[in-house]
């Protein structure tokens, strides 16, 4: 039987720990036998691991990693600068023996600390992706996908993406029928449309407080439904197009038209979430000119189609009561804990 060892470190995120336990535990072969043996391991002599509101006692130690076919690294709330004694050596030894290793969410920081991801593509929770890339420039971090499969080594994005990755591994091990049954038990589709880009809050590139572009940025956001040209934006700003491009690069880190496209996508997301307007109307309301241009730009930025985004994020089944303003700036929701302390924001655990 295929053995899955889940390595729990202090501060383990409960969902990251429980998701693979349940998904692999639910998998059944066509004759009804369990497809996996799941073991929870700890590097500490007592076996006790803090999991936030409660403590877990793992029945296995690091020696179980040598016997595993697959090792899972759940995320921890505060990835340590140095892994506990013996962990790196055990993981590298398992990798040398061909063991499959996968990380969940910010467990990618633990995986990266072993050096096993060097030169590879990897992902993590989107809110922690930049931090991972800065800490480990030798890794190509992709924040737009639900998981990355490099063959022997896999990494998943945050939270529910762990389910996607586990189901992907089950399908590779035992076929689609076994994976589909595990997906039904998880109340999850076997494949989700789009990547984690659809969950990212795409803030508009900010201009420094007091910057000369602030008035024109507000005007562009308020009028992004219009077919604005570079000349018109420059005239509004009272400068040449060449100066406008330079100021945008200096103060907003992008070009005027790229900034405008991002503003239009943000408004489109808001309308898809809060209204029942057809895609054709939203394309017109957001200045894209045609539904085709809207769909192409939306998929490029968000990673899924407008209809796919609406199915995932629509707040209700009918039109939102009362008028919906589409002429002013769109409110940008900010994760409550996105500015919390520590190298990995707390919202990366949810």
């Amino acid at each position: 039987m295929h053995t899955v060892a889940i390595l729990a470190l202090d501060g383990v995120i409960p969902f990251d720990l429980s998701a693979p336990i349940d998904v692999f535990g639910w998998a059944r072969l066509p004759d009804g036998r369990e497809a996996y043996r799941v073991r929870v391991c700890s590097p500490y002599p007592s076996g006790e691991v803090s999991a936030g509101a409660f403590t877990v006692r793992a029945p296995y130690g690091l020696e179980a990693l040598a016997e595993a076919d697959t090792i899972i690294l759940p995320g921890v709330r505060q990835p340590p600068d140095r892994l506990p004694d013996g962990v790196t050596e055990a993981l590298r030894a398992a990798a040398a023996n061909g063991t499959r290793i996968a990380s969940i969410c910010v467990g990618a920081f633990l995986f990266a600390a072993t050096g096993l991801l060097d030169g590879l593509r990897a992902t993590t929770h989107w809110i922690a992706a930049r931090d991972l890339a800065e800490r480990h420039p030798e890794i190509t971090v992709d924040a737009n996908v639900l998981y990355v499969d490099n063959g022997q080594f896999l990494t998943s994005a945050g939270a529910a993406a762990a389910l996607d990755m586990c189901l992907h591994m089950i399908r590779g091990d035992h076929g689609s029928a076994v994976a589909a049954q595990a997906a039904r038990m998880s109340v999850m589709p076997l494949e989700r449309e789009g990547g984690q880009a659809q969950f990212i809050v795409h803030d508009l590139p900010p201009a420094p407080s007091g910057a000369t572009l602030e008035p024109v940025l507000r005007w562009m956001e308020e009028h992004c439904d219009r077919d604005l040209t570079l000349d018109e934006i420059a005239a509004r700003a009272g400068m040449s197009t060449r100066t406008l491009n330079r100021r945008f690069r200096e103060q907003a880190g992008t070009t005027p038209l790229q900034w405008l496209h991002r503003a239009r996508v943000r408004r489109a997301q808001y309308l898809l979430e809060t209204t029942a307007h057809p895609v054709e109307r939203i394309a017109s309301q957001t200045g894209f000119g045609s539904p085709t241009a809207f769909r192409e730009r939306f998929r490029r930025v968000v990673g899924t189609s407008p209809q796919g985004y609406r199915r995932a994020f629509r707040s209700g089944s009918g039109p939102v009561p009362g008028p919906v303003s589409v002429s002013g700036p769109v409110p940008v929701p900010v994760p409550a804990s996105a500015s919390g302390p520590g190298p990995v924001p707390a919202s990366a655990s949810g």
Side-chain angles (χ1 to χ4, degrees), residues 107-129:
F109 286 79
L110 310 178
F111 205 168
T114 68
L116 292 171
L117 292 179
D118 289 1
L120 298 178
R121 179 167 159 260
T123 193
T124 185
H125 194 292
W126 62 266
I127 207 168

Side-chain angles (χ1 to χ4, degrees), residues 68-267:
D69 301 289
T70 295
I71 296 172
I72 305 291
L73 303 175
V76 297
R77 293 194 178 277
Q78 201 81 336
D81 294 330
R82 181 176 178 276
L83 296 179
D85 290 346
V87 170
T88 296
E89 294 78 7
L91 290 173
R92 292 187 69 87
N97 288 330
T99 302
R100 180 172 61 187
I101 303 176
S103 64
I104 292 173
C105 191
V106 292
F109 286 79
L110 310 178
F111 205 168
T114 68
L116 292 171
L117 292 179
D118 289 1
L120 298 178
R121 179 167 159 260
T123 193
T124 185
H125 194 292
W126 62 266
I127 207 168
R130 178 176 296 179
D131 192 19
L132 180 64
E134 289 175 352
R135 290 199 201 184
H136 300 279
E138 63 279 4
I139 299 172
T140 301
V141 179
D142 187 346
N144 295 321
V145 295
L146 294 174
Y147 57 85
V148 173
D149 183 351
N150 288 299
Q152 185 183 1
F153 303 143
L154 299 89
T155 53
S156 86
L163 306 179
D164 296 281
M165 182 181 68
C166 291
L167 291 170
H168 169 74
M169 288 190 282
I170 293 172
R171 180 167 51 188
D173 293 339
H174 299 292
S176 295
V178 173
Q181 177 59 25
R184 283 190 288 271
M185 293 298 295
S186 303
V187 196
M188 276 281 294
L190 186 54
E191 291 188 21
R192 283 196 285 169
E193 181 178 1
Q196 69 168 328
Q198 62 190 303
F199 303 99
I200 299 174
V201 179
H202 291 282
D203 294 339
L204 298 174
S209 180
T212 57
L213 285 179
E214 277 192 295
V216 75
L217 292 179
R218 287 196 298 269
W219 177 81
M220 289 172 66
E221 192 172 356
E222 291 168 1
H223 297 87
C224 68
D225 58 316
R226 292 173 46 189
D227 184 19
L228 299 176
T229 65
L230 189 61
D231 287 338
E232 187 175 0
I233 297 169
R236 179 74 186 188
M239 58 186 74
S240 68
T241 56
R242 182 175 180 179
T243 301
L244 179 73
N245 278 316
R246 187 177 69 251
R247 293 283 173 83
F248 259 84
R249 287 291 187 189
E250 293 170 351
Q251 298 180 22
T254 187
T255 67
L257 294 183
Q258 287 298 326
W259 196 97
L260 180 61
H261 285 317
R262 182 60 59 87
R264 286 170 170 165
V265 168
R266 286 290 299 119
R267 179 172 294 183

Side-chain angles (χ1 to χ4, degrees), residues 262-277:
R262 182 60 59 87
R264 286 170 170 165
V265 168
R266 286 290 299 119
R267 179 172 294 183
Q269 288 178 297
Y270 179 70
L271 293 173
L272 289 166
E273 294 168 11
T274 60
T275 76
H277 298 169

